[in-house]
Amino acid sequence: MRVISWNIGWGCKKEKIAPMLHKKMGYNDCVVCLQEVTPSVKNFLCTFLGNSYSYIYSLDSRYVGDFDTKSRKLGVLIILSNSFKFLYSHTLSRTPFPDRTLLVSFAYMGVEYRVMTLHSVTGCNYLKAKSVQFYSFAEAIKLHQPDIVAFDANEPREDHFDEEQRKYFDNKDKGAGAKTFFQTLVNSNLQDSYATLNKEQYKQGEPLAISHIINGKERKRYDFIYTNRKFEVVKSEYLYQEAIDASADHAMVVTDFIGDMQYRMRDPNIDFDALPFEGNTSL
């Protein structure tokens, strides 16, 4: 299975984003998690990629209001190969910006998987709200126990392959909110897919990989794919320059893994393939 996570950026050129995305979605079994997706970009991608995929968009569950500013009109989009059976989806209503969150459940060969994508607000503009957001993210991880979490955290301040050793920004909380979120991922049996394969690349004071550069000089790894520890990570990479060339300002993160098809049978009496299409729900 391939998982792609990509903050494409609200100012991206959709005509450049779509071909790169399509090229990297070469697997038959692929899950794509996109952040900072406007309605017009979502519609373009649906048309460009066609009906070989299912499209679940956060703003279809949480509609844009009359007084929403631009920051409330950015959604997240999950794209599933048609080899997967879509079961249900919802945004995370207890977060400050539910439109930047999405949980999707799907079935594959009789096993249910849950994928979550998240887009963190920035500390420079939101400060304490960013901290509150991370606690709500942690709550959702603990409650829903996803198998895959793909996100742009706008953290950490200093990277490390060990979440305990990372240094986080002080969002009026000395970094406690972000640290709680990452530690909850670990406590929920999830692994940093890239770090799992690339610990030996760590150099103190440098990110394990580059996913975003601030003001042309500060190199950060803000984008992550966490997967269940029972999944064997085969390959994980950050495609920074390709993504920049495609008009994004964050790297595309691509992870290939092999899942344990037996570990997650939530109810052996349920025939997932026989379930009706449930559509989006908002909880």
Side-chain angles (χ1 to χ4, degrees):
M1 184 184 297
R2 168 163 288 185
V3 178
I4 296 173
S5 183
W6 194 12
N7 181 338
I8 59 177
W10 67 270
C12 72
K13 297 179 180 178
K14 54 185 180 291
E15 297 83 2
K16 290 188 174 182
I17 292 291
M20 179 178 174
L21 185 61
H22 184 252
K23 178 181 178 181
K24 300 303 179 182
M25 294 168 66
Y27 274 38
N28 290 329
D29 306 324
C30 188
V31 178
V32 175
C33 300
L34 302 179
Q35 300 90 39
E36 289 200 32
V37 182
T38 63
S40 64
V41 171
K42 176 256 187 181
N43 292 335
F44 183 88
L45 290 174
C46 291
T47 300
F48 186 93
L49 298 173
N51 58 9
S52 297
Y53 304 95
S54 299
Y55 305 89
I56 307 96
Y57 186 44
S58 61
L59 295 188
D60 289 339
S61 293
R62 195 177 189 281
Y63 297 102
V64 176
D66 291 339
F67 299 100
D68 283 347
T69 60
K70 183 172 66 175
S71 64
R72 300 301 299 270
K73 298 176 183 178
L74 289 174
V76 294
L77 175 66
I78 292 180
I79 305 173
L80 302 175
S81 297
N82 280 348
S83 54
F84 304 132
K85 170 71 174 182
F86 171 75
L87 298 178
Y88 65 83
S89 70
H90 61 77
T91 55
L92 306 178
S93 62
R94 283 176 55 78
T95 61
F97 284 81
D99 26 70
R100 300 186 181 199
T101 70
L102 192 60
L103 174 73
V104 170
S105 170
F106 65 91
Y108 180 63
M109 295 180 65
V111 179
E112 182 195 8
Y113 292 87
R114 295 175 184 171
V115 56
M116 184 180 290
T117 189
L118 307 166
H119 177 209
S120 170
V121 297
T122 60
C124 57
N125 291 327
Y126 294 93
L127 288 178
K128 190 64 175 179
K130 186 181 181 187
S131 175
V132 172
Q133 162 210 260
F134 278 124
Y135 285 115
S136 65
F137 285 175
E139 176 186 80
I141 296 296
K142 184 176 180 179
L143 175 64
H144 296 292
Q145 293 293 300
D147 305 293
I148 302 163
V149 187
F151 57 93
D152 170 10
N154 281 305
E155 293 278 358
R157 178 168 58 86
E158 291 186 19
D159 195 18
H160 198 283
F161 60 81
D162 181 353
E163 288 83 358
E164 282 286 345
Q165 299 301 315
R166 290 176 187 158
K167 296 180 180 179
Y168 303 98
F169 291 105
D170 182 6
N171 301 299
K172 300 292 186 179
D173 65 348
K174 297 182 180 179
K179 185 173 184 177
T180 297
F181 166 64
F182 277 97
Q183 194 58 53
T184 301
L185 291 168
V186 174
N187 294 342
S188 299
N189 205 35
L190 295 163
Q191 60 186 339
D192 179 346
S193 297
Y194 186 82
T196 298
L197 297 179
N198 297 282
K199 292 180 181 179
E200 71 282 355
Q201 293 185 14
Y202 174 72
K203 296 180 181 179
Q204 188 172 0
E206 297 183 13
L208 272 174
I210 300 171
S211 75
H212 185 57
I213 298 179
I214 303 173
N215 298 324
K217 56 183 179 180
E218 293 186 58
R219 303 186 302 171
K220 301 292 184 181
R221 185 167 74 113
Y222 281 172
D223 303 85
F224 297 85
I225 296 175
Y226 274 70
T227 57
N228 193 291
R229 289 186 181 277
K230 294 208 174 186
F231 298 167
E232 178 187 352
V233 180
V234 178
K235 182 180 180 181
S236 188
E237 58 184 342
Y238 284 74
L239 305 177
Y240 180 76
Q241 193 55 52
E242 285 185 66
I244 297 302
D245 292 343
S247 77
D249 62 352
H250 283 245
M252 175 189 283
V253 189
V254 183
T255 293
D256 300 333
F257 66 88
I258 300 171
D260 181 344
M261 303 307 293
Q262 301 301 320
Y263 90 102
R264 193 74 157 181
M265 288 293 289
R266 299 187 189 280
D267 188 339
N269 297 315
I270 296 178
D271 180 2
F272 287 114
D273 291 332
L275 289 176
F277 178 87
E278 296 189 17
N280 291 348
T281 60
S282 183
L283 301 178

